[in-house]
Amino acid sequence: MKRSDMIRTIQVQFKRMRTSDAAAVLDVLADSMISGIANGDRIEIRGFGTIRPRPRATKVGYNPVTGQPMHLPANTTILFRPSRELTKKMNG
């Protein structure tokens, strides 16, 4: 599903909403989620799942070409856990 598909879905749900207003709603939602994750907050959307930042420790990796060890710095990634309802719908 692309951004334009989501905007159309919002417009179908709210019949009198203009395209620019639906796009603004989607942008505000995305910006709010991005700033929350960047601040280290956990985001829970009932019926969809939870999204939270997950820290990763430093580790030693290996260059696949030379086999030399490389230092990989600590970083943060995102962990998504789907809700039971979403998992049930996906699995039929």
Side-chain angles (χ1 to χ4, degrees):
M1 179 178 258
K2 297 183 290 187
R3 182 176 186 273
S4 60
D5 297 333
M6 288 190 256
I7 290 171
R8 251 185 252 113
T9 303
I10 292 170
Q11 282 184 293
V12 167
Q13 185 70 30
F14 302 100
K15 305 247 185 271
R16 296 182 185 260
M17 187 174 283
R18 293 180 293 173
T19 304
S20 59
D21 293 338
V25 167
L26 188 60
D27 290 341
V28 166
L29 179 65
D31 290 342
S32 175
M33 290 175 69
I34 289 168
S35 65
I37 291 171
N39 290 335
D41 297 335
R42 177 178 171 260
I43 297 172
E44 180 179 343
I45 303 171
R46 302 279 172 148
F48 183 69
T50 58
I51 305 166
R52 67 178 176 94
R54 182 179 184 185
R56 286 190 176 173
T58 59
K59 64 181 181 179
V60 176
Y62 295 93
N63 185 328
V65 176
T66 63
Q68 295 292 329
M70 301 175 6
H71 173 74
L72 300 173
N75 61 11
T76 304
T77 186
I78 297 172
L79 176 67
F80 173 70
R81 300 192 98 182
S83 68
R84 288 184 185 159
E85 294 86 17
L86 178 60
T87 305
K88 285 180 184 178
K89 285 183 181 181
M90 287 176 50
N91 294 324

